[in-house]
Amino acid sequence: MPTDQASGAGAGSIVRSAAQNTPLLLDIRNLQVEYLTPHGPVRAVDNVSIAVQSGEVVGLAGESGSGKSTLAHAILRILHPPALITGGEILFSGKDTLTMNMTELEQFRWRSVSIVFQSAMNALNPVMRIRDQLLDVMQCHGISKAEANRQAVRLFELVGIDPQRLDAYPHQLSGGMRQRTVIAIALALNPPLLIMDEPTTALDVVVQKDILQQIVHLKERMGFSILFITHDLSLLVEFSTHIAIMYAGEIVEKAPARELFTNPLHPYTVGLMNSFPSIRGEKKKLTGIPGSPPDLISPPGGCRFHPRCPRMMPECPVKAPANKAVAEDHTVACYLY
Ligand code: SF4
């Protein structure tokens, strides 16, 4: 469930989760990540608060370059210089991951949170058999070779690949099989949270649909939560609980999935919604969003979306709008509301 920045660093989410008596698995509060460049710092993630409860699928959508993947890497603490976390907190089951030492981080990654990257070919080692890559993860975390082998077979069955293919090299599998393999590796230690960073982007739409169905099936069977990152808002319709929209490093709107689809408020969200076709209802012209995302070395003043916004008003370039709660669990950062 996305937290409520307006209510102060995710406090809103804590109140709601306590009321519902469900624990917050991931609670990111006012996170800032900067890339230090010769031209000055680039704030790729700016004051972002977002949370995931047990059993939830939270979608994070926005164009390329909006900071989504940087946020995912920050959660796992796998950012490399010149990227730096310069502010905020990342709490996992109440524990601050930013204070973890290397040993704690090694346990945290894969056991608590794992990630499925966009391109399976880049995530897999091309000169290692799949079985060895799976065993490597499990044995690094103290699982015996015999048990890891049993688990590898079980994982391949779970993701719908014949376990005989365990001894294949990545190039001997199809694109869909490779992505399923990466999902199997991410699930090797049964983590409660899976981050999926554009997991189906490189695949054709039919395989994409198969993989998404598989993810839903696995989630129901294994009970993990998902933070699903994509530039394609339409993918989130089917299975997200909540959706957050990110633009130029900031969260500009957050709402329950159904609410966001029936009542999108921020002009950027509306633009994203109008950028993909619907299979239901009347045919309509796709309009897209004019222009391109800003250069974050010198982002536009005021509302960062104002140079592209069809509803810009005189105050928009002057001061950035704060996130406001407009309905239960629905916040938006826009002067129209
Ligand atoms: Fe558009 Fe102004 Fe709202 Fe920004 S604050 S999205 S420029 S109307």
Side-chain angles (χ1 to χ4, degrees), residues 269-277 284-288:
T269 312
V270 175
L272 284 180
M273 298 276 282
N274 290 335
S275 305
F276 62 85
K284 59 175 183 179
K285 196 165 181 280
L286 299 180
T287 50

Side-chain angles (χ1 to χ4, degrees), residues 3 37 53 55 60 75 77 81 116 120 128 144 172 257 300 312 319:
T3 61
T37 76
Q53 287 190 123
L60 181 62
I75 294 168
R77 299 268 316 272
V116 176
M128 266 176 93
S144 71
Q172 294 173 312
M312 189 187 82
K319 193 168 174 246

Side-chain angles (χ1 to χ4, degrees), residues 266-268 303 305-306 309 311-313 316 321 333-336:
H266 196 283
Y268 180 60
C303 170
F305 188 57
H306 82 258
C309 182
R311 303 187 64 185
M312 189 187 82
M313 300 174 287
C316 300
C334 174
Y335 285 124
L336 291 170

